Every structure is written in C-alpha cells, then in structure tokens.
Amino acid sequence: MLDHHFHLEFDTERGLQEQLRQALLDTILAGTIPANEALPSCRRLSHRLGVSRNTVALVYEGLVEDGYLVSRPRSGYYLHDDYHDNGERMRSVIMHHESAGSSTEAPDWQRRFIHRPSHCQGVLKPSNWQDYAYPFIYGQLDNRRFPLEQWREASRRMLGGRRDRQWLSDRIDQDDPMLIEQLRTRVLPRRGIHARSDEILITLGSQNALFLIAQLLFDHDTRVGIENPGYREAVNVFESRGARLQFHEVDDEGMRLDAGTRESDYLYVTPSHQVPTGVTPECGASSGFDGATGPA
C-alpha cells in the first residue's frame, strides 16, 4: 500500500538517506502505515523512488535500530507495536500543520454538515460481547451454534462448475427471481402476507428498508407511532426525515394502543420478535413481519 501512495520530491542540497528517513518518519507518526502490513521491499521502494537499493536498506535498518520498525526474517519490515495506535500522533501532526499555516484554505467540513449521525443514540454492541455469560444483544450471530459444515457444503454445491452462473450477472433493476419466489411462496404466507412478485423488494438489511420507506412516505408532517422500547435505528432514520414520533409502551401482547394512536399516520411494530426484548406476543398480532410498517 505504501509504495502506491508514498511520494518524495528529493532536494539536491540534502542527502538522500536523510530525506527518505524524514519522509518515512512523518508517515509513521501520521498513522497512515497499516499495522500488520509489510512495508515495500528495499528493491520495490528503491525502484519507485529512483534511488539505490542500499539507500533504502540503510534507512530501514536505521528505523529498526531506533525502534520505529521491526524486521521479520523472510517477511519484511513492519511497524513497531508502539506505533500501532497512532490516533494521538496523527492529531498532533494535523495540529502542527494547521499551526504552521497553509497556502490554500481547506473547506470547513464541520460547518457544512447538515445532519450529524454521531449525535444520534445508537445500539451499543461491545466488541467482546461473546465473552459475556448472557449477551443480550440482538442481531448478532452465535458462532458456536452456526452450522458451519452445512454452510460450507451448501456453498460448495451452489458454486460448483455445473451450476447456472446467472447470479454473477448484474440484474440492474430486479432481484433474483428464484429468491423472490421462495419468499413469496414459503416465507411470507407463514406470516399472513400474500404478495405478488412485483410487490417484493430485496434490501440490504432492515436499516436500508427503513431508509427507503422513510424517503418515500415521511416528512415533517408525518406522525409515526413506535414501540417503547423499540428499534433505536428506526427512531434515528425516522427522525432524520423530520417525522414526528409518538412512543407507545409494550406488554406481552405487543404495542399498547391508546387514544393517541388514531393520530398516527403509520405504526412501526416488530411483532414476530419484539425489538429489543425478543418477546413473541401471545396474540394473533405475531402473524405480521418484523419491522412491519403501514397505515394506521
């Protein structure tokens, strides 16, 4: 990666080793070198920069002696462990360049932001969630129970040379017809939904589906009833469109309706398995599908 982005204009009044060393140090301190990726070989970098191989080798060895790089036999030069987390160093470098001034004014992107997703409350998912005795985090796969052998066998059969490779083609404006047919005839009827093929759209997950729905149906005058507690990402998507949300408590039968429900233009519910509690209602409302959205 470094040899594709690393560029150095040599100054004839300074030594090549000195300039190359300084350039590599700036790159290391800026945090742009991948932690577990080898630096370009001496031959490769010397060819790209138009210098001798010995020049690059001497600079690399010097950085190893000073603790910036480590040399792995028959593998190459890598960033030292002490420089794997360079967030603070990168910020200091940026602040240094800003304080030194610049010939061109960069855009102030902070002021150009219209929406700030970082201000939205998201779903917290610690990276070590599987280490907990009872990880109550929805939407995560328990890899200890995943049928890996069956998945591998199914993948082998589907990707075999005798199979039709139509799935490799870009269908542009349509989804895979076999997948649509399976959903239409096997999945949706079990949940009380009967739809034509042209009424089914495959999305890249529930958030993509919610975004499309919000784009089509919601604006600042739209009132949406939503469960409390409910799917937090749905709240963020609906609020980004300016929709007015009305929160309804839930019990063992799903969303509790009240007088304010009639004022809603739409209700967003997760009846099959309530999010985030995971409860399956005992009443017939469970025949809907998770994330069902429709007129109130």
Side-chain angles (χ1 to χ4, degrees):
M1 173 180 158
L2 180 63
D3 56 339
H4 290 291
H5 301 284
F6 186 75
H7 181 69
L8 181 58
E9 292 286 348
F10 286 107
D11 184 355
T12 57
E13 298 182 358
R14 297 173 57 200
L16 294 178
Q17 289 187 36
E18 175 191 354
Q19 296 179 70
L20 179 56
R21 174 185 169 85
Q22 185 60 53
L24 285 171
L25 277 176
D26 290 343
T27 306
I28 292 173
L29 296 177
T32 56
I33 298 180
N36 297 313
E37 185 175 314
L39 273 71
S41 66
C42 297
R43 179 185 58 81
R44 199 172 178 183
L45 188 57
S46 64
H47 176 73
R48 184 164 188 82
L49 297 178
V51 300
S52 71
R53 182 175 177 178
N54 287 339
T55 298
V56 178
L58 289 172
V59 172
Y60 274 176
E61 288 300 326
L63 293 174
V64 171
E65 293 178 3
D66 293 339
Y68 294 103
L69 302 177
V70 293
S71 177
R72 299 178 185 174
R74 292 182 292 181
S75 180
Y77 295 91
Y78 291 81
L79 198 63
H80 193 281
D81 290 346
D82 291 344
Y83 295 90
H84 282 191
D85 185 9
N86 279 313
E88 291 300 323
R89 292 187 181 89
M90 186 181 296
R91 281 189 284 273
S92 65
V93 170
I94 294 173
M95 291 178 64
H96 170 72
H97 285 295
E98 289 180 347
S99 62
S102 175
S103 58
T104 59
E105 288 292 334
D108 187 350
W109 293 108
Q110 291 293 329
R111 293 187 178 182
R112 295 192 180 196
F113 288 158
I114 298 176
H115 301 289
R116 296 180 180 270
S118 60
H119 292 178
C120 299
Q121 179 182 345
V123 179
L124 299 179
K125 296 183 179 180
S127 59
N128 63 331
W129 65 271
Q130 289 189 341
D131 296 337
Y132 289 79
Y134 303 101
F136 294 111
I137 299 179
Y138 60 87
Q140 293 296 328
L141 175 68
D142 186 351
N143 55 25
R144 294 167 297 186
R145 296 179 177 271
F146 186 79
L148 188 59
E149 294 298 327
Q150 292 89 332
W151 180 271
R152 183 183 293 112
E153 175 62 19
S155 299
R156 186 189 65 79
R157 288 191 285 110
M158 289 302 299
L159 300 177
R162 297 181 180 180
R163 285 283 181 175
D164 184 6
R165 298 190 179 184
Q166 288 295 324
W167 57 272
L168 288 172
S169 303
D170 184 1
R171 298 181 182 276
I172 306 176
D173 60 349
Q174 57 181 303
D175 294 308
D176 185 278
M178 293 181 63
L179 176 58
I180 293 291
E181 187 64 14
Q182 292 296 311
L183 292 173
R184 188 185 70 82
T185 59
R186 295 177 179 270
V187 178
L188 296 182
R190 295 180 181 180
R191 302 189 175 188
I193 300 174
H194 300 277
R196 301 190 308 271
S197 298
D198 59 357
E199 294 178 321
I200 301 174
L201 175 67
I202 306 298
T203 64
L204 302 176
S206 59
Q207 292 185 42
N208 181 216
L210 292 171
F211 175 81
L212 293 175
I213 290 172
Q215 288 284 324
L216 291 171
L217 302 177
F218 298 169
D219 60 17
H220 293 277
D221 295 325
T222 307
R223 293 164 296 188
V224 183
I226 194 168
E227 297 166 321
N228 184 29
Y231 184 36
R232 186 66 212 182
E233 297 301 339
V235 174
N236 294 336
V237 172
F238 298 162
E239 286 185 338
S240 70
R241 292 293 299 165
R244 290 180 289 172
L245 304 185
Q246 299 172 323
F247 294 94
H248 298 269
E249 301 300 319
V250 296
D251 55 24
D252 58 353
E253 294 185 349
M255 176 187 287
R256 297 178 59 181
L257 306 182
D258 54 33
T261 306
R262 295 183 178 275
E263 301 177 1
S264 299
D265 298 301
Y266 302 94
L267 298 178
Y268 175 80
V269 295
T270 54
S272 295
H273 293 87
Q274 205 277 332
V275 177
T277 64
V279 172
T280 301
E282 299 177 357
C283 63
S286 60
S287 61
F289 63 100
D290 288 352
T293 307

